[in-house]
């Protein structure tokens, strides 16, 4: 029998989607029901216990193959001790509550990192806890995916889809200048006014697109600046709910490692984070 993956039942994916939803709601300037949902279903609950198994994979340091195998075995052994009927009931109620606040199709279409790894762990857990025979080939594929993630071995099948950043690499200087001007116009149409920081980001991404190390260094510098600014801003925010939102966003400001490739998602993230900075300044009475 082959196990079918379900986002609706994957505790790791459900949690990560809620975290991303908090960020989306915050950037929109609205209260986020996802915060209360996370507190209700993932604190001192069976769902929270299961999420810890997923978290142990996502937050693991680089391991050698033996230790990675030990981690996987321990996680699967621990999963057997979870109360399955309680988990099933809590997941049902969680989906029901998410549906009462968000459109499910839109919610489950949110992009999250490490989707493949979360899906692989879900299927391994299902295989370890199921009474039915599971196809060994599927379990092997899932285990290999997680071992590669834990050991940080290079994956042979690279994602070759083209993105905006790759497209800019083919542009000459004049075309890049024109593209920069067009992007400025588009962002000015979307926002009341684009900040100097956002203009700098657009210009740097276009001018340095063919220099991966420089672009990565620039991105990491901006992430460090954002962290520092948001940490300082949090202290002056009076509304508790808003403070929690900003703290959650700050946790997701992560610098890229030396081998990571900057793509168009990173550009969009930086632009949105600096838009949030503008909103916080306005809320605190700072002229921008």
């Amino acid at each position: 029998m082959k196990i079918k993956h379900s986002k609706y039942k994957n505790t790791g994916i459900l949690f990560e989607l809620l975290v991303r939803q908090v960020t989306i709601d915050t950037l929109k300037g609205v209260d986020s029901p996802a915060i209360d949902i996370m507190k209700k279903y993932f604190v001192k609950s069976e769902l929270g216990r299961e999420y810890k198994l997923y978290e142990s994979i996502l937050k693991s340091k680089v391991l050698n193959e033996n230790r990675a195998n030990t981690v996987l075995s321990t996680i699967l052994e621990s999963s057997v001790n979870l109360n399955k009927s309680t988990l099933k009931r809590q997941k049902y109620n969680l989906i029901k509550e998410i549906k009462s606040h968000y459109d499910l199709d839109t919610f489950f279409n949110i992009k999250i990192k490490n989707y493949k790894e979360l899906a692989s762990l879900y299927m391994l857990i299902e295989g370890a806890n199921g009474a039915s025979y599971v196809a060994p080939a599927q379990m092997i594929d899932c285990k290999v995916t997680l071992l590669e993630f834990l050991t940080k071995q290079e994956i042979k099948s690279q994602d070759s889809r083209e993105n905006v950043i790759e497209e800019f690499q083919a542009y000459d200087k004049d075309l890049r200048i024109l593209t920069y001007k067009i992007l400025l116009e588009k962002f000015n149409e979307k926002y009341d006014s684009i900040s100097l920081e956002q203009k700098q980001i657009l210009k740097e991404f276009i001018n340095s697109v063919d220099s991966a190390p420089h672009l990565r260094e620039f991105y990491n510098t901006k992430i460090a600046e954002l962290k520092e600014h948001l940490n300082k801003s949090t202290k002056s925010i009076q509304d508790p709910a808003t403070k929690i939102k900003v703290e959650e966003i700050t946790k997701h400001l992560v610098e890229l490692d030396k081998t990571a490739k900057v793509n168009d998602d990173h550009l969009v993230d930086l632009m949105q984070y600096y838009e949030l900075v503008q909103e916080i300044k306005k809320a605190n009475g700072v002229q921008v």
Side-chain angles (χ1 to χ4, degrees):
M1 182 187 75
K2 195 169 184 178
I3 296 172
K4 188 176 180 180
H5 178 247
S6 171
K7 292 187 286 187
Y8 289 78
K9 298 178 182 178
N10 188 318
T11 301
I13 286 177
L14 288 169
F15 184 88
E16 295 302 320
L17 285 172
L18 284 166
V19 170
R20 289 291 292 170
Q21 188 64 58
V22 171
T23 304
I24 291 169
D25 291 342
T26 301
L27 292 173
K28 287 181 179 178
V30 299
D31 291 334
S32 181
I35 295 176
D36 292 329
I37 294 174
M38 290 169 69
K39 289 179 180 178
K40 181 177 178 179
Y41 288 95
F42 288 92
V43 177
K44 295 180 180 179
S45 67
E46 206 68 6
L47 266 177
R49 288 181 63 201
E50 186 175 50
Y51 175 69
K52 288 294 181 183
L53 302 182
Y54 288 88
E55 188 180 46
S56 62
I57 291 289
L58 297 180
K59 293 190 175 181
S60 174
K61 297 178 181 178
V62 180
L63 305 172
N64 61 42
E65 190 171 344
N66 287 335
R67 290 187 66 85
N69 270 303
T70 301
V71 168
L72 279 182
S73 298
T74 303
I75 287 173
L76 296 179
E77 289 169 8
S78 299
S79 72
V80 176
N81 298 320
L82 294 171
N83 188 312
K84 305 303 183 296
S85 60
T86 301
L87 269 177
K88 186 176 181 180
R89 183 177 67 254
Q90 289 179 355
K91 287 180 185 179
Y92 174 82
N93 290 333
L94 171 60
I95 296 297
K96 187 177 179 181
E97 187 145 355
I98 291 172
K99 187 178 181 180
S100 69
H101 294 284
Y102 303 102
D103 175 74
L104 285 184
D105 289 336
T106 303
F107 178 82
F108 279 101
N109 276 331
I110 297 173
K111 292 183 179 180
I112 59 172
K113 294 180 179 179
N114 307 124
Y115 179 93
K116 186 178 180 181
E117 289 74 25
L118 292 170
S120 294
L121 183 54
Y122 167 85
M123 289 187 283
L124 281 180
I125 289 175
E126 287 295 298
N129 289 272
S132 304
Y133 170 81
V134 180
Q138 185 183 22
M139 294 298 97
I140 291 170
D141 286 343
C142 293
K143 188 174 182 180
V144 168
T145 295
L146 292 170
L147 286 176
E148 288 183 348
F149 178 77
L150 291 170
T151 59
K152 297 297 184 288
Q153 294 175 350
E154 185 176 354
I155 300 173
K156 293 180 181 179
S157 56
Q158 296 292 336
D159 182 3
S160 60
R161 71 176 180 87
E162 294 183 354
N163 57 33
V164 175
I165 298 300
E166 290 170 340
E167 187 178 345
F168 282 151
Q169 290 177 341
Y171 291 2
D172 59 25
K173 184 178 178 181
D174 290 338
L175 188 52
R176 288 184 186 183
I177 293 172
L178 177 60
T179 304
Y180 171 62
K181 290 179 179 179
I182 292 172
L183 284 174
L184 278 183
E185 290 176 4
K186 293 296 182 184
F187 273 94
N188 278 322
E189 287 174 8
K190 183 173 183 179
Y191 302 108
D192 292 335
S193 61
I194 192 169
S195 68
L196 290 174
E197 290 91 349
Q198 288 172 316
K199 287 180 181 179
Q200 182 191 10
I201 290 166
L202 282 177
K203 192 171 184 178
E204 194 68 34
F205 264 68
I206 293 172
N207 289 339
S208 303
V209 72
D210 49 4
S211 175
H214 180 80
L215 198 54
R216 184 168 54 246
E217 182 182 354
F218 172 79
Y219 178 84
N220 287 342
T221 300
K222 287 299 174 185
I223 288 295
E225 288 178 4
L226 283 163
K227 275 185 183 177
E228 183 180 359
H229 182 85
L230 290 177
N231 283 328
K232 288 180 180 178
S233 299
T234 304
K235 298 175 183 178
S236 61
I237 296 174
Q238 301 299 318
D239 180 55
T242 303
K243 183 174 287 191
I244 291 173
K245 293 175 187 177
V246 175
E247 288 173 348
E248 278 298 323
I249 290 174
T250 305
K251 290 178 184 177
H252 288 80
L253 294 174
V254 180
E255 295 181 15
L256 299 174
D257 60 40
K258 293 180 180 179
T259 59
K261 187 177 181 182
V262 181
N263 58 40
D264 42 299
D265 288 336
H266 296 117
L267 167 61
V268 174
D269 286 344
L270 280 182
M271 295 296 286
Q272 290 180 330
Y273 286 139
Y274 272 102
E275 184 66 19
L276 174 63
V277 168
Q278 294 286 93
E279 293 302 318
I280 293 174
K281 286 181 178 178
K282 290 178 183 177
N284 290 337
V286 178
Q287 188 173 359
V288 294

